[in-house]
Amino acid sequence: MANLAAQLAAVLQACIKRSGGLKPSRAHAKAAHARLLAAGLAADTFLLNRLIELYSLSGLPCHALRAFRALPHPNVYSHNAAISAACRAGDLAAARDLLGGMPGRNDVSWNTVISAVSRSDSPGDALGMYREMRREGLAPTHFTFASVLSACGAVAALDDGRRCHGLAVKVGLDGNQFVENALLGMYTKCGSVADAVRMFDGMASPNEVSFTAMMGGLAQSGAVDEALRLFARMSRSGVRVDLVAVSSVLGACAQACAGEYSVVRAIRLGRSIHAMIVRKGFGSDLHVGNSLMDMYAKCMEVDEAKKVFESMPRVSIVSWNILVTGYGQVGLYAKAMEMLELMQESGFEPNAVTYSNMLACCVKARNVLSARAMFDKIPKPSVTTWNTLLSGYCQEELHQDTIELFRRMQHQNVQPDRTTLAVILSSCSRLGNLELGKQVHSASVRLLLHNDMFVANGLIDMYSKCGQVEVAQFIFHRMTERDVVCWNSMISGFAIHSLNEEAFDFFKQMRENGMFPTESSYASMMNSCARLSSIPQGRQIHAQVIKDGYDQNVYVGSALIDMYAKCGNMDDARLFFDCMIAKNIVAWNEMIHGYAQNGFGEKAVELFEFMLTTKEKPDTVTFIAVLTGCSHSGLADEAIAFFNSMESNYGITPLVEHYTCLIDALGRACRFVEVEAVIDKMPYKDDPIVWEVLLAACVVHHNAELGECAAKHLFRIDPKNPSPYVLLSNIYASLGRHGDASAVRALMSSRGVVKGRGYSWVDHKDGARAFMVADDLGTNVGQSTMFSDNEDTCRITEVDTDETCVG
């Protein structure tokens, strides 16, 4: 029997050793078990221990645990072998149960379970087990420290890691290279780079693992230059450069390129590493090849990445994804799609990463339809993926689609983050959807994101744009930290709602708080100056614009032109326009429209024709501006010519505004036959502005017949609007048809339509004062306290709502 037991022990040992690092044959394990049972040795603890180990290595953990439970007298080795089998199978619950029921636990038992738990989805549990081990009086070994420090790094438990470090010093294991590397990894993963550097500098002989961990930590913290220098030091010091180190430094080079710093040096080093890879024969390694591709792709050298791809002996889905993403990053949308098709033809099925990368590529190319198609192929989109598509819709001004997609996201129980809320608030702001904005505000409070500066800025913008300026102010004053964006949102909100005094006051406070105005700040302030028709304040803002270096910013420049134009100072507007080095279509449009609105129609046409000789192409707004100039200056023939050229020469379909301007030009010129022809063919017959313009022209030229037609349309479309009643009555009165005029006034009264009171305002150095009809005293409007005005200017403007001014 003893000889048979020895023979079986030798067989089991041979099966275990024969694996050579590979999984032993399950058939051999079962055959050995059968021989053991047939020989009546099922109670032999030594043989069963070896069998448990063999079953575990063979990938049969259930058989291993069954053999363990069949043991009448298990010893410590039996328990440890069973625990190892459970851990190898990923059954941590069974491993912990075995550990808990073990009569004489030792450091091997604890280390086995702690190591498995530290590598699981709940690495933090390893820390609790480590504390329990310490309470039992067991001293940690270098294996214990390695597992526990790995868990500390995984859950960013820096304080626990430091305590482990102190204990390692106490028990004399701080010089163990295994522990040193574990400590280095823990500090880098916890973001404590200073501690990691001190640890690394104190190491007697760092190896390739030490260098790789330190390079990864430096790159992760943004110290890419230091990571690259460390690799150079590693190469000079004679430490073996392995595949992991090469992949790590390539990752640092990629990060340098993506971060837009040390780019030239990073590419140069990346190329030298590429040469070293070829020299050392690392090119056949898939992970190294992918890292090299990623480095070139991040450095915007996609053609080089493709060369690496084509030289690789084998590729994976990761390789294809890097190539597809690389083309997307450089804006080659068509090439990215081509790579995607080629990938599928090569037998690789796209995964969620592929579609997510293509989604970002489509959004960058402003192709939201293709982006949505990619999104719909992702089985379980992450919140980041949702945000990418939401941002794409919002960027394309498809705000209703953005909101509908957000609702779908909620139905699928995907919790929004700060980016989601900011994007949705932006859409609510653009649509003026206050109710949904309030719901998003409530959601931000529930998610504890309402104090996040990114979300708070969105809330301020939404409330101010929706007319709830007081709520926006409340949120603004509750913010503990403010950036220039939230100041701009408040100033813009005040300007939009003509709260010009408040806008100036906030602009002053913004500067006093050390915030430097941006282009948005100045554009809003110019808007307020334009609304106040205040040249002195506008000039002071203009001076500040020049001082801060924004005078050549096209966004600010367009606002300055608009301000001077609305203040009636076309000479200054043109002077600034001519001084602009770079002009966009907005600047041209503002200048042309300024001429048109101030009665300089010939100059508007002249500037428009000059623009056509430049590289700038007119858009819909340009034609509205030049047609307005034609109508205000009696250039009816020019208006017809420009209108007809829109679609034929520039592919622009006329909108209702273009028809309105053309009808106004023809009506002012008393060419009513042509007006009727235009109205007959236009698709906007239910737009009230068209009929109001026609009715106003009929008043001027006493055309009662066509005026009656226009008024009837307005009575149907907008029965509560007093303008058509007043204007039709004026036509009758001018023709001596006082009975018809009285009938219209009676109809107006019977329908409960009330005409607004006329008013005037006076603008002088102490502010603006408005006077309503029959008022004895005026009311201050929009008086600003920000700027002193030494000019004694006074401007009177009268508005009478009996007359409708169009165009």
Coordinates of all heavy atoms in Angstrom, one line a residue, residues 605-676:
V605 N -26.1 99.6 -51.0 CA -25.9 98.9 -52.2 C -24.5 98.9 -52.7 O -23.9 97.9 -53.1 CB -26.9 99.5 -53.3 CG1 -26.6 98.9 -54.7 CG2 -28.3 99.3 -52.9
E606 N -23.8 100.0 -52.6 CA -22.4 100.1 -53.0 C -21.5 99.2 -52.2 O -20.7 98.5 -52.8 CB -22.0 101.6 -52.8 CG -20.5 101.9 -53.2 CD -20.1 103.3 -52.9 OE1 -21.0 104.2 -52.7 OE2 -18.9 103.5 -52.7
L607 N -21.7 99.1 -50.9 CA -20.9 98.2 -50.0 C -21.2 96.8 -50.4 O -20.3 95.9 -50.4 CB -21.2 98.5 -48.6 CG -20.3 97.8 -47.6 CD1 -18.8 98.2 -47.8 CD2 -20.7 98.1 -46.1
F608 N -22.5 96.5 -50.6 CA -22.9 95.1 -51.0 C -22.2 94.7 -52.3 O -21.6 93.6 -52.3 CB -24.4 95.0 -51.1 CG -24.9 93.7 -51.7 CD1 -24.9 92.6 -50.9 CD2 -25.4 93.6 -53.0 CE1 -25.3 91.3 -51.4 CE2 -25.8 92.4 -53.5 CZ -25.8 91.3 -52.7
E609 N -22.2 95.5 -53.2 CA -21.6 95.2 -54.5 C -20.1 95.1 -54.4 O -19.4 94.2 -55.0 CB -21.9 96.3 -55.6 CG -23.4 96.2 -56.0 CD -23.8 97.3 -56.9 OE1 -23.1 98.3 -57.0 OE2 -24.8 97.1 -57.6
F610 N -19.5 95.9 -53.5 CA -18.0 95.7 -53.2 C -17.8 94.4 -52.5 O -16.7 93.7 -52.8 CB -17.6 96.9 -52.3 CG -16.1 96.8 -51.9 CD1 -15.1 96.9 -52.9 CD2 -15.7 96.5 -50.6 CE1 -13.8 96.8 -52.5 CE2 -14.4 96.4 -50.3 CZ -13.4 96.5 -51.2
M611 N -18.6 94.0 -51.6 CA -18.4 92.7 -50.9 C -18.4 91.5 -51.9 O -17.7 90.6 -51.7 CB -19.6 92.5 -49.9 CG -19.3 91.3 -49.0 SD -20.8 90.9 -48.0 CE -21.6 89.8 -49.2
L612 N -19.2 91.7 -53.0 CA -19.3 90.6 -53.9 C -18.0 90.4 -54.7 O -17.8 89.3 -55.3 CB -20.4 90.8 -55.0 CG -21.9 90.9 -54.4 CD1 -22.9 91.1 -55.5 CD2 -22.2 89.6 -53.7
T613 N -17.1 91.4 -54.6 CA -15.8 91.3 -55.3 C -14.8 90.6 -54.4 O -13.7 90.3 -54.9 CB -15.3 92.7 -55.7 OG1 -15.1 93.5 -54.6 CG2 -16.3 93.4 -56.6
T614 N -15.1 90.4 -53.1 CA -14.2 89.8 -52.2 C -14.5 88.3 -52.1 O -15.5 87.8 -52.7 CB -14.3 90.4 -50.8 OG1 -15.6 90.1 -50.2 CG2 -14.2 92.0 -50.9
K615 N -13.8 87.6 -51.2 CA -14.0 86.2 -51.1 C -15.3 85.9 -50.2 O -15.7 84.7 -50.2 CB -12.8 85.5 -50.4 CG -12.5 86.0 -49.0 CD -11.3 85.3 -48.4 CE -11.1 85.7 -46.9 NZ -10.0 85.0 -46.3
E616 N -15.8 86.9 -49.6 CA -17.0 86.7 -48.7 C -18.2 86.5 -49.5 O -18.5 87.3 -50.5 CB -17.1 87.9 -47.8 CG -17.9 87.6 -46.5 CD -17.1 86.7 -45.6 OE1 -16.0 87.0 -45.1 OE2 -17.6 85.6 -45.3
K617 N -19.0 85.5 -49.2 CA -20.3 85.2 -49.9 C -21.5 85.7 -49.1 O -21.5 85.5 -47.9 CB -20.4 83.7 -50.2 CG -19.3 83.2 -51.1 CD -19.2 83.9 -52.4 CE -18.0 83.3 -53.3 NZ -17.9 84.1 -54.5
P618 N -22.4 86.3 -49.8 CA -23.6 86.8 -49.0 C -24.4 85.6 -48.5 O -24.5 84.5 -49.1 CB -24.4 87.6 -50.1 CG -24.0 87.0 -51.4 CD -22.6 86.6 -51.2
D619 N -25.1 85.9 -47.4 CA -26.1 84.9 -46.8 C -27.5 85.5 -46.8 O -27.7 86.6 -47.3 CB -25.6 84.4 -45.5 CG -25.5 85.5 -44.4 OD1 -25.9 86.7 -44.7 OD2 -25.0 85.3 -43.3
T620 N -28.4 84.9 -46.1 CA -29.8 85.4 -46.1 C -29.8 86.7 -45.4 O -30.6 87.6 -45.8 CB -30.7 84.4 -45.3 OG1 -30.1 84.2 -44.0 CG2 -30.8 83.1 -46.0
V621 N -29.0 86.9 -44.3 CA -29.1 88.2 -43.6 C -28.5 89.4 -44.5 O -29.0 90.5 -44.5 CB -28.2 88.1 -42.3 CG1 -28.2 89.4 -41.6 CG2 -28.8 87.0 -41.4
T622 N -27.5 89.1 -45.3 CA -26.9 90.1 -46.2 C -28.0 90.6 -47.1 O -28.1 91.8 -47.3 CB -25.8 89.5 -47.0 OG1 -25.0 88.7 -46.2 CG2 -25.0 90.6 -47.7
F623 N -28.8 89.7 -47.7 CA -29.9 90.1 -48.6 C -31.0 90.9 -47.9 O -31.6 91.8 -48.5 CB -30.4 88.9 -49.4 CG -29.5 88.5 -50.6 CD1 -28.7 87.4 -50.5 CD2 -29.5 89.3 -51.7 CE1 -27.9 87.1 -51.5 CE2 -28.7 88.9 -52.8 CZ -27.9 87.8 -52.7
I624 N -31.3 90.5 -46.7 CA -32.3 91.3 -45.9 C -31.7 92.8 -45.8 O -32.5 93.7 -45.9 CB -32.5 90.7 -44.6 CG1 -33.3 89.4 -44.7 CG2 -33.3 91.6 -43.7 CD1 -33.4 88.6 -43.4
A625 N -30.5 92.9 -45.5 CA -29.9 94.2 -45.2 C -29.9 95.1 -46.5 O -30.3 96.2 -46.5 CB -28.4 94.1 -44.7
V626 N -29.4 94.5 -47.6 CA -29.4 95.3 -48.8 C -30.8 95.6 -49.4 O -31.0 96.7 -49.9 CB -28.5 94.6 -49.9 CG1 -29.1 93.4 -50.5 CG2 -28.0 95.6 -51.0
L627 N -31.7 94.6 -49.3 CA -33.1 94.9 -49.7 C -33.7 96.0 -48.8 O -34.5 96.8 -49.3 CB -33.9 93.6 -49.7 CG -33.5 92.6 -50.7 CD1 -34.3 91.3 -50.5 CD2 -33.9 93.1 -52.1
T628 N -33.4 96.0 -47.5 CA -33.9 97.1 -46.7 C -33.4 98.4 -47.1 O -34.1 99.4 -47.2 CB -33.4 96.8 -45.2 OG1 -34.0 95.6 -44.8 CG2 -33.9 97.9 -44.3
G629 N -32.1 98.5 -47.5 CA -31.5 99.7 -48.0 C -32.2 100.2 -49.3 O -32.5 101.4 -49.5
C630 N -32.5 99.2 -50.2 CA -33.2 99.6 -51.4 C -34.6 100.1 -51.1 O -35.0 101.1 -51.7 CB -33.3 98.3 -52.3 SG -31.7 97.7 -53.0
S631 N -35.3 99.5 -50.2 CA -36.6 100.0 -49.9 C -36.6 101.4 -49.2 O -37.5 102.2 -49.5 CB -37.4 99.0 -49.0 OG -36.8 99.0 -47.7
H632 N -35.7 101.6 -48.4 CA -35.6 102.9 -47.7 C -35.1 104.1 -48.6 O -35.3 105.2 -48.2 CB -34.7 102.8 -46.5 CG -35.3 102.1 -45.3 ND1 -34.7 102.1 -44.1 CD2 -36.4 101.4 -45.3 CE1 -35.5 101.3 -43.3 NE2 -36.5 100.9 -44.0
S633 N -34.5 103.7 -49.7 CA -34.0 104.8 -50.6 C -34.6 104.8 -52.0 O -34.1 105.4 -52.9 CB -32.4 104.6 -50.8 OG -31.8 104.7 -49.5
G634 N -35.7 104.1 -52.1 CA -36.5 104.1 -53.3 C -35.8 103.4 -54.5 O -36.1 103.7 -55.7
L635 N -35.0 102.4 -54.2 CA -34.3 101.7 -55.3 C -35.0 100.4 -55.6 O -34.5 99.3 -55.4 CB -32.8 101.4 -54.8 CG -32.0 102.6 -54.4 CD1 -30.6 102.2 -53.8 CD2 -31.8 103.6 -55.6
A636 N -36.2 100.6 -56.2 CA -37.1 99.4 -56.4 C -36.5 98.5 -57.5 O -36.5 97.3 -57.3 CB -38.5 99.9 -56.9
D637 N -35.9 99.0 -58.6 CA -35.3 98.2 -59.6 C -34.2 97.3 -59.1 O -34.0 96.2 -59.4 CB -34.9 99.0 -60.8 CG -36.1 99.6 -61.5 OD1 -37.2 99.0 -61.5 OD2 -35.9 100.7 -62.1
E638 N -33.3 98.0 -58.3 CA -32.2 97.3 -57.7 C -32.7 96.2 -56.7 O -32.1 95.1 -56.7 CB -31.3 98.3 -56.9 CG -30.5 99.2 -57.8 CD -31.3 100.4 -58.2 OE1 -32.5 100.4 -58.1 OE2 -30.6 101.3 -58.8
A639 N -33.8 96.5 -56.0 CA -34.3 95.5 -55.1 C -34.8 94.3 -55.9 O -34.5 93.1 -55.4 CB -35.5 96.1 -54.3
I640 N -35.5 94.5 -57.0 CA -35.9 93.3 -57.8 C -34.7 92.5 -58.3 O -34.7 91.3 -58.3 CB -36.8 93.9 -59.0 CG1 -38.1 94.5 -58.5 CG2 -37.1 92.7 -60.0 CD1 -38.9 95.2 -59.6
A641 N -33.7 93.2 -58.8 CA -32.5 92.5 -59.3 C -31.8 91.7 -58.2 O -31.5 90.5 -58.4 CB -31.5 93.5 -59.9
F642 N -31.7 92.3 -57.0 CA -31.0 91.5 -55.9 C -31.9 90.3 -55.5 O -31.3 89.3 -55.2 CB -30.7 92.5 -54.8 CG -29.7 93.5 -55.0 CD1 -29.8 94.8 -54.5 CD2 -28.6 93.2 -55.8 CE1 -28.8 95.8 -54.8 CE2 -27.6 94.2 -56.0 CZ -27.7 95.4 -55.5
F643 N -33.2 90.6 -55.4 CA -34.1 89.5 -55.0 C -34.0 88.3 -56.0 O -33.9 87.1 -55.6 CB -35.5 90.0 -54.9 CG -36.5 89.0 -54.4 CD1 -36.7 88.8 -53.1 CD2 -37.2 88.2 -55.3 CE1 -37.6 87.9 -52.6 CE2 -38.1 87.3 -54.9 CZ -38.3 87.1 -53.5
N644 N -34.0 88.6 -57.3 CA -34.0 87.6 -58.3 C -32.6 86.8 -58.3 O -32.6 85.6 -58.7 CB -34.3 88.1 -59.7 CG -35.7 88.6 -59.8 OD1 -36.6 88.1 -59.1 ND2 -36.0 89.6 -60.7
S645 N -31.6 87.5 -57.9 CA -30.2 86.9 -57.9 C -30.0 85.9 -56.8 O -29.1 85.1 -56.8 CB -29.2 87.9 -57.9 OG -29.1 88.5 -56.6
M646 N -30.9 86.0 -55.7 CA -30.6 85.2 -54.5 C -30.6 83.7 -54.9 O -29.6 83.0 -54.5 CB -31.8 85.4 -53.5 CG -31.7 86.7 -52.8 SD -33.0 87.0 -51.6 CE -32.8 85.6 -50.5
E647 N -31.6 83.2 -55.5 CA -31.7 81.8 -55.8 C -30.9 81.4 -57.0 O -30.2 80.4 -57.0 CB -33.1 81.3 -55.9 CG -33.3 79.8 -55.8 CD -34.8 79.5 -55.3 OE1 -35.6 80.4 -55.4 OE2 -35.0 78.4 -54.8
S648 N -30.9 82.2 -58.0 CA -30.2 81.9 -59.3 C -28.7 81.9 -59.1 O -28.0 81.1 -59.7 CB -30.7 82.8 -60.4 OG -30.4 84.2 -60.1
N649 N -28.2 82.9 -58.4 CA -26.7 83.1 -58.3 C -26.1 82.5 -57.1 O -24.9 82.1 -57.1 CB -26.4 84.6 -58.4 CG -26.7 85.2 -59.7 OD1 -27.1 84.5 -60.7 ND2 -26.6 86.5 -59.8
Y650 N -26.9 82.4 -56.0 CA -26.3 82.0 -54.7 C -27.0 80.9 -54.0 O -26.6 80.4 -52.9 CB -26.3 83.2 -53.7 CG -25.5 84.4 -54.3 CD1 -26.2 85.5 -54.9 CD2 -24.1 84.5 -54.3 CE1 -25.6 86.6 -55.4 CE2 -23.5 85.5 -54.9 CZ -24.2 86.6 -55.4 OH -23.5 87.6 -56.0
G651 N -28.0 80.3 -54.6 CA -28.7 79.2 -54.1 C -29.4 79.4 -52.8 O -29.6 78.5 -52.0
I652 N -29.8 80.7 -52.5 CA -30.5 81.1 -51.3 C -32.0 81.2 -51.5 O -32.4 82.0 -52.3 CB -29.9 82.4 -50.7 CG1 -28.4 82.2 -50.4 CG2 -30.7 82.8 -49.5 CD1 -27.8 83.6 -50.0
T653 N -32.8 80.4 -50.9 CA -34.2 80.4 -51.0 C -34.7 81.6 -50.2 O -34.5 81.8 -49.0 CB -34.9 79.2 -50.5 OG1 -34.4 78.0 -51.2 CG2 -36.4 79.2 -50.7
P654 N -35.5 82.5 -50.9 CA -36.0 83.7 -50.2 C -36.9 83.4 -49.0 O -37.8 82.5 -49.1 CB -36.8 84.5 -51.3 CG -36.2 84.0 -52.6 CD -35.8 82.6 -52.3
L655 N -36.7 84.0 -47.9 CA -37.6 83.9 -46.7 C -38.6 85.0 -46.7 O -38.6 85.9 -47.5 CB -36.7 83.9 -45.5 CG -35.5 82.9 -45.4 CD1 -34.7 83.2 -44.1 CD2 -36.0 81.5 -45.4
V656 N -39.5 84.9 -45.7 CA -40.6 85.9 -45.6 C -40.0 87.3 -45.5 O -40.5 88.3 -46.0 CB -41.5 85.5 -44.5 CG1 -40.8 85.6 -43.1 CG2 -42.7 86.5 -44.5
E657 N -38.8 87.4 -44.8 CA -38.2 88.7 -44.6 C -37.8 89.3 -45.9 O -37.9 90.6 -46.1 CB -37.0 88.6 -43.7 CG -37.3 88.3 -42.2 CD -37.5 86.8 -42.0 OE1 -37.4 86.0 -42.9 OE2 -37.8 86.5 -40.8
H658 N -37.3 88.5 -46.9 CA -36.9 89.0 -48.2 C -38.1 89.5 -49.0 O -38.1 90.5 -49.6 CB -36.1 87.9 -48.9 CG -34.9 87.4 -48.2 ND1 -34.9 86.2 -47.6 CD2 -33.7 88.0 -48.0 CE1 -33.7 86.0 -47.1 NE2 -33.0 87.1 -47.3
Y659 N -39.2 88.7 -48.9 CA -40.4 89.1 -49.6 C -40.9 90.4 -49.0 O -41.4 91.3 -49.7 CB -41.5 88.0 -49.5 CG -41.3 86.9 -50.5 CD1 -40.8 85.7 -50.1 CD2 -41.7 87.0 -51.8 CE1 -40.6 84.6 -51.0 CE2 -41.5 86.0 -52.7 CZ -41.0 84.8 -52.3 OH -40.8 83.8 -53.2
T660 N -40.9 90.5 -47.7 CA -41.3 91.7 -47.0 C -40.6 93.0 -47.5 O -41.2 94.0 -47.8 CB -41.2 91.6 -45.5 OG1 -41.9 90.5 -45.1 CG2 -41.7 92.8 -44.8
C661 N -39.2 92.8 -47.6 CA -38.4 94.0 -48.0 C -38.7 94.3 -49.5 O -38.8 95.5 -49.8 CB -36.9 93.6 -47.9 SG -36.4 93.5 -46.2
L662 N -38.9 93.3 -50.3 CA -39.2 93.6 -51.7 C -40.6 94.3 -51.9 O -40.7 95.3 -52.6 CB -39.2 92.3 -52.5 CG -39.5 92.4 -54.0 CD1 -38.5 93.3 -54.7 CD2 -39.5 91.0 -54.7
I663 N -41.6 93.8 -51.1 CA -42.9 94.4 -51.2 C -42.8 95.8 -50.6 O -43.5 96.8 -51.2 CB -43.9 93.6 -50.4 CG1 -44.2 92.2 -51.1 CG2 -45.2 94.3 -50.1 CD1 -44.9 91.2 -50.2
D664 N -42.0 96.1 -49.6 CA -41.9 97.4 -49.1 C -41.3 98.4 -50.1 O -41.7 99.5 -50.3 CB -41.0 97.4 -47.8 CG -41.0 98.7 -47.1 OD1 -42.0 99.4 -47.0 OD2 -39.9 99.0 -46.6
A665 N -40.2 97.9 -50.8 CA -39.6 98.7 -51.8 C -40.5 99.0 -53.0 O -40.6 100.2 -53.4 CB -38.4 98.0 -52.4
L666 N -41.3 98.0 -53.4 CA -42.3 98.3 -54.5 C -43.4 99.1 -54.1 O -43.9 100.0 -54.8 CB -42.8 96.9 -55.1 CG -41.7 96.1 -55.8 CD1 -42.3 94.7 -56.0 CD2 -41.3 96.7 -57.1
G667 N -43.9 98.9 -52.8 CA -45.0 99.7 -52.3 C -44.6 101.2 -52.1 O -45.4 102.1 -52.5
R668 N -43.4 101.4 -51.6 CA -43.0 102.8 -51.5 C -42.9 103.5 -52.8 O -43.1 104.7 -52.9 CB -41.6 102.9 -50.8 CG -41.6 102.5 -49.3 CD -40.2 102.4 -48.7 NE -40.2 101.9 -47.4 CZ -39.9 102.7 -46.3 NH1 -39.6 103.9 -46.5 NH2 -39.9 102.1 -45.1
A669 N -42.6 102.7 -53.9 CA -42.5 103.3 -55.2 C -43.8 103.3 -55.9 O -43.9 103.7 -57.1 CB -41.5 102.5 -56.0
C670 N -44.9 103.0 -55.3 CA -46.3 103.0 -55.8 C -46.4 102.0 -57.0 O -47.2 102.2 -57.9 CB -46.6 104.4 -56.2 SG -48.4 104.6 -56.4
R671 N -45.7 100.9 -56.9 CA -45.7 99.9 -58.0 C -46.6 98.7 -57.5 O -46.1 97.6 -57.3 CB -44.3 99.5 -58.4 CG -43.6 100.7 -59.1 CD -42.1 100.5 -59.1 NE -41.6 99.4 -60.0 CZ -40.4 99.3 -60.4 NH1 -39.5 100.2 -60.1 NH2 -40.0 98.3 -61.2
F672 N -47.9 99.0 -57.3 CA -48.7 98.0 -56.7 C -49.1 96.8 -57.5 O -49.4 95.7 -57.0 CB -50.0 98.7 -56.2 CG -49.8 99.6 -55.0 CD1 -49.8 101.0 -55.2 CD2 -49.5 99.1 -53.8 CE1 -49.6 101.8 -54.1 CE2 -49.2 100.0 -52.7 CZ -49.3 101.3 -52.9
V673 N -49.0 97.0 -58.9 CA -49.3 95.8 -59.7 C -48.2 94.8 -59.5 O -48.5 93.6 -59.4 CB -49.3 96.3 -61.2 CG1 -49.5 95.1 -62.1 CG2 -50.5 97.2 -61.5
E674 N -47.0 95.2 -59.4 CA -45.9 94.3 -59.2 C -46.0 93.7 -57.8 O -45.6 92.5 -57.6 CB -44.6 95.0 -59.4 CG -44.3 95.4 -60.8 CD -43.1 96.3 -61.0 OE1 -42.0 95.8 -61.1 OE2 -43.3 97.5 -61.0
V675 N -46.5 94.5 -56.8 CA -46.6 94.0 -55.5 C -47.6 92.8 -55.5 O -47.4 91.8 -54.8 CB -47.2 95.1 -54.5 CG1 -47.6 94.5 -53.2 CG2 -46.1 96.2 -54.3
E676 N -48.7 93.0 -56.2 CA -49.7 91.9 -56.2 C -49.2 90.7 -56.9 O -49.4 89.6 -56.4 CB -51.0 92.4 -57.0 CG -51.8 93.5 -56.3 CD -53.0 93.9 -57.0 OE1 -54.0 93.1 -56.9 OE2 -53.0 95.0 -57.6

